[in-house]
Amino acid sequence: MRFDEGRTYAASAVAVAPHPLPEFSVTPPTADPTRPSQAPPESAPDAPAPDAPAPDAPAAPGRLALIAVLLAVFVVPTSISGTAVALPDIGAGTGAAQGSASLQWVVNAFNLAFACCTLVWGSLADLIGRIRAFALGAAVFALASLACALAPTVYVLDGARALAGLGGAAIFACGSAIISSAFEGPARAKAFALFGTVAGVGVALGPTVSGPAVDALGWRWIFGLQALVLAAVLACVPVIARSVREPVGGGGRLDVRGAVVFVLAMAALTYAIVQGSAWGWASAGTLGLLLASLVLFGAFGALAKRTPAPLLDLSAVRNRRFLAYTLVPVAASFGFVTQLTYLPSYLSGVAGYSASAAGTTMLLLTLPVLLLPMAGAKLVERGTSPLAVVFASLLCLVAGDLALLVLGPDTSLAVMAPAMLVTGAGMGLSAGLVDGQALAMIEPAKAGMAAGFLNTLRLGSEAIAVAVFGSVLASLVAGDGAGAGGAAYDDAFHVLLWVMAGVCLLLGALVASLARAGGEGTGPEAGGPLRRG
């Protein structure tokens, strides 16, 4: 099974009430030091300009900037989860055979490009400016979506989807870096909570939005709608530029050599994961790609040590508190995303649920992801340590996966509901929070690189977790004496629940160890931002 398949089905019945945007206190734009007429306010504290705006004046542009960033962020996971719904119609419209590799790559090409290029975009954003890089990525995504809508063949569509993945990587990496630069204090925590919520809503509502669009307008319009939404986002870029302060590295140059090696390493790893189930995990092709990725990653690390301005500043990875936060989404990939992907199949194949009943039941897993990011932000705002919230989310992942062991062919909804809600809470409590806290550990000038690294770990771990879970599940079912029926699937699923809980427990212990070893010297107290102003 491809790592993109099950996630779309899991939340097809979700209906979400949007969170109201809170009142944000926006960081004013940085003055240009090269222009005397725009001297920074601190140079003349007693003589403000007569027409200086009131302290709350930037709030409206700031809210519009946040809405624009979140709208673009919403499009990316919607494109990933919603496109799979349209594959049968795409195959019929382009002449591609159902289940063919060319049709599967409509989804896989996007994921591959996204995973490979997120870190590159983040580092580039630190050099040319987050807003400029964000706008460039949104423009690439919009043009690629238009090309998808007009694609005459499935091969052209595959290429356009890869280009869209390139743009999507910029939106995610630069979007979170813009939020990190634009907001301070409680407003920043709320903005990142909304970032996490919107990303979750995008995954959940992808099938809900794309399904009716395909039925009513045809599959080409799901890409056309994405292009229209991103055109609206691009129209808001001047507003974002006026309301966001962003430190830009002056005179720096992109580490092209490092970028090439990193992209090749990620491409080899991701392609091996995508093809592993079809080729066999022990096949020469899969093992060769995995070995190549290992060698390339080693070369990338060696180059980073010898390059004055590397693609990935290794000092960030040596920041143990930062690294602790970046490992939290990895735990969520194993503890939550695997269940989001494969639990619907369990409910249908073992428990005998219909497709609609399984989709409705999955609300118990997805609703906490949509509702709890803001709750986590409020806890931090009221004085709870961010690490305490993170540890609570990790505990929920472990406890939720273990509680899912109650699942069986005759398990009632009342019995399984608490387990699913707790598992969802493990994802929801830390969604967005870890992004904000991780970027707070890094100096503002490197926020883009840090966001790119975080999102690379997030998507890469999702791909690995889902692919490994599916492959081991298939192997256990095939090797079970009960055959390939529901009983074999039930036994295999329960074995993997123990494994996923164990992985989350180990990752939780590693996060705790890194956070404790990092102490307060690697970041502000209680996860406060490491930034000026």
Side-chain angles (χ1 to χ4, degrees):
M1 177 178 288
R2 302 188 316 277
F3 67 83
D4 53 78
E5 282 182 334
R7 190 189 297 181
T8 62
Y9 169 75
S12 57
V14 177
V16 182
H19 288 287
L21 284 175
E23 293 294 324
F24 288 108
S25 175
V26 184
T27 304
T30 301
D32 184 352
T34 65
R35 298 173 64 182
S37 63
Q38 295 181 354
E42 56 267 24
S43 65
D46 299 324
D51 57 347
D56 294 334
R63 284 197 297 271
L64 182 57
L66 179 62
I67 291 171
V69 170
L70 295 181
L71 192 59
V73 167
F74 174 78
V75 170
V76 176
T78 300
S79 178
I80 296 173
S81 65
T83 301
V85 174
L87 288 181
D89 292 83
I90 292 174
T94 60
Q98 296 299 321
S100 63
S102 60
L103 190 59
Q104 293 172 4
W105 275 92
V106 173
V107 175
N108 290 341
F110 184 100
N111 292 334
L112 181 65
F114 190 106
C116 291
C117 299
T118 306
L119 178 60
V120 177
W121 273 111
S123 297
L124 182 63
D126 290 336
L127 298 175
I128 69 172
R130 288 80 184 265
I131 298 169
R132 182 183 299 176
F134 175 84
L136 182 58
V140 169
F141 200 134
L143 291 174
S145 296
L146 184 60
C148 290
L150 301 174
T153 69
V154 71
Y155 300 105
V156 174
L157 180 59
D158 289 343
R161 286 289 291 166
L163 195 61
L166 180 68
I171 289 172
F172 249 67
C174 304
S176 55
I178 287 172
I179 292 175
S180 180
S181 300
F183 302 102
E184 297 288 352
R188 189 169 179 270
K190 292 175 184 176
F192 272 109
L194 284 171
F195 183 94
T197 300
V198 167
V201 171
V203 171
L205 292 188
T208 304
V209 172
S210 298
V214 171
D215 292 339
L217 303 172
W219 66 266
R220 295 182 184 276
W221 268 102
I222 67 171
F223 302 113
L225 290 173
Q226 293 168 15
L228 290 174
V229 171
L230 290 170
V233 170
L234 287 169
C236 298
V237 167
V239 177
I240 301 176
R242 287 196 300 270
S243 60
V244 174
R245 175 183 67 187
E246 54 168 351
V248 178
R253 305 179 74 176
L254 181 66
D255 177 17
V256 176
R257 185 172 55 177
V260 170
V261 173
F262 182 81
V263 169
L264 289 175
M266 284 298 300
L269 176 63
T270 310
Y271 193 73
I273 293 169
V274 170
Q275 297 296 123
S277 296
W279 291 352
W281 290 100
S283 68
T286 302
L287 293 177
L289 284 171
L290 292 175
L291 179 61
S293 70
L294 184 62
V295 171
L296 287 166
F297 278 125
F300 174 74
L303 285 172
K305 293 178 180 179
R306 301 203 307 264
T307 304
L311 185 73
L312 174 63
D313 188 343
L314 296 182
S315 66
V317 181
R318 288 193 291 267
N319 183 327
R320 295 185 178 185
R321 185 68 67 89
F322 169 74
L323 193 58
Y325 280 118
T326 63
L327 289 177
V328 177
V330 178
S333 296
F334 284 91
F336 173 82
V337 176
T338 53
Q339 307 311 317
L340 184 67
T341 305
Y342 292 104
L343 188 54
S345 299
Y346 181 93
L347 294 175
S348 299
V350 177
Y353 282 44
S354 66
S356 60
T360 302
T361 303
M362 290 302 293
L363 283 168
L364 295 168
L365 194 69
T366 56
L367 280 178
V369 182
L370 310 180
L371 301 177
L372 291 185
M374 289 299 296
K378 287 190 175 295
L379 286 172
V380 173
E381 182 181 349
R382 293 172 181 173
T384 303
S385 166
L387 282 173
V389 178
V390 166
F391 291 145
S393 73
L394 292 170
L395 181 62
C396 285
L397 288 173
V398 176
D401 281 358
L402 291 177
L404 285 171
L405 290 168
V406 302
L407 290 174
D410 302 316
T411 305
S412 68
L413 185 62
V415 172
M416 75 172 72
M420 296 178 70
L421 289 169
V422 170
T423 304
M427 177 70 174
L429 276 174
S430 62
L433 175 66
V434 294
D435 297 71
Q437 295 302 318
L439 297 190
M441 299 294 107
I442 304 298
E443 60 183 279
K446 298 178 181 178
M449 177 271 297
F453 178 75
L454 172 62
N455 284 295
T456 298
L457 284 185
R458 174 178 281 131
L459 188 68
S461 64
E462 287 183 9
I464 293 171
V466 172
V468 170
F469 190 104
S471 180
V472 174
L473 183 66
S475 298
L476 290 174
V477 170
D480 195 305
Y489 196 98
D490 186 27
D491 292 341
F493 196 88
H494 280 73
V495 169
L496 281 165
L497 285 173
W498 282 105
V499 174
M500 295 302 106
V503 171
C504 290
L505 184 61
L506 289 175
L507 285 169
L510 181 57
V511 169
S513 175
L514 288 169
R516 184 168 56 250
E520 302 301 333
T522 58
E525 188 169 347
L530 182 64
R531 55 181 58 244
R532 295 180 295 274

